[in-house]
Amino acid sequence: MDLPRIFTVRESSHRLHNPFTPEKLAVLGRALRLAPGTRVLDLASGSGELLCTWVRDHRVTGTGVDISTVFTRNARARAAELGVEDRVAFLHGDASGFFADEPVDLAACVGASWIGGGVAGTVELLGRSLRPGGLMLIGEPYWRRDVPDEETARACFADRADDYLVLPELMELFGDLGYDVVEMVLADQDSWDRYRAAQWFNLRRWLDDNPGDELAEDVRAELATEPARYARYQREHLGWGVFALIGR
């Protein structure tokens, strides 16, 4: 049970595995008005930056669950680096089947709604661990504008154009699911640039060091095509944000 190796190679220098800068993560933490002692569950927690920095900055406590052994190890190391390992735990496991033993104050899935088969399923999954009146965080892509064709959709990591919604429709969906949107912090094009361009740097440095590896051919192909595809399609059409919800 793990992520494909190419994913961890691609994101080897990332602390945040989404198009979100540390500055935007900090803005989000302040916007949520987190009280000391807030109990947080972060499903698909990646390398643990959200939990570790919020434990440090807002004195919350938390548990993160992620399927990647590499990211889980990184998260534990980050907790030790920031001196918060006594207030946060990172578990290696399948987040799609994880429920908190006791209701939490904040339940999050930031950028991995596949764990619930989409937004609706992830909202339901998080809701099982959330106390009444608690905060839910969903990080999700959306279309910055209507996509012109299916080729554009596929170039933006969607199987079909209707895999994602435009921003107003995504916010309406949260309402249809029984939640009020109470905060949001959106990635911008610079956030996307920092996230995607760092992937290319990681891949190139890895390729230089591992030219005979079995992944080398795939990495070379990705480096040859992804920067232009990003500039042509993803940068103009694909948005991403984190939305804070409270159940009605």
Side-chain angles (χ1 to χ4, degrees), residues 46-63:
S47 291
E49 192 71 359
L50 181 152
L51 271 177
C52 289
T53 56
W54 287 4
V55 169
R56 177 196 64 191
D57 297 340
H58 303 286
R59 303 196 66 79
V60 304
T61 63
T63 300

Side-chain angles (χ1 to χ4, degrees), residues 64-203:
V65 183
D66 199 273
I67 200 170
S68 169
T69 53
V70 172
F71 293 163
T72 302
R73 184 168 62 247
N74 291 347
R76 291 168 179 162
R78 183 63 167 157
E81 178 185 3
L82 296 183
V84 299
E85 64 267 43
D86 60 330
R87 286 175 281 149
V88 66
F90 291 101
L91 310 177
H92 174 244
D94 183 357
S96 65
F98 189 90
F99 310 109
D101 292 336
E102 298 181 358
V104 298
D105 303 304
L106 190 159
C109 177
V110 177
S113 63
W114 52 266
I115 68 170
V119 172
T122 300
V123 166
E124 180 184 4
L125 175 66
L126 292 174
R128 297 182 188 181
S129 296
L130 187 64
R131 68 165 176 81
L135 278 168
M136 181 180 296
L137 293 185
I138 297 284
E140 184 68 11
Y142 60 87
W143 295 126
R144 297 181 67 231
R145 57 177 62 89
D146 289 329
V147 292
D149 49 46
E150 295 300 318
E151 178 186 2
T152 301
R154 288 191 295 272
C156 294
F157 314 114
D159 293 327
R160 302 174 306 277
D162 60 4
D163 281 355
Y164 306 143
L165 302 172
V166 293
L167 183 58
E169 293 174 352
L170 177 58
M171 298 179 80
E172 289 170 349
L173 173 61
F174 294 135
D176 293 342
L177 295 171
Y179 286 81
D180 290 320
V181 179
V182 297
E183 260 296 354
M184 67 179 188
V185 178
L186 305 181
D188 54 25
Q189 286 180 312
D190 183 65
S191 308
W192 273 107
D193 293 348
R194 301 281 55 76
Y195 175 59
R196 295 288 280 125
Q199 292 179 343
W200 311 329
F201 208 147
N202 293 338
L203 289 170

Side-chain angles (χ1 to χ4, degrees), residues 1 28 34 36 75 95 157 183 224:
M1 182 173 58
L28 178 63
L34 299 169
F157 314 114
E183 260 296 354

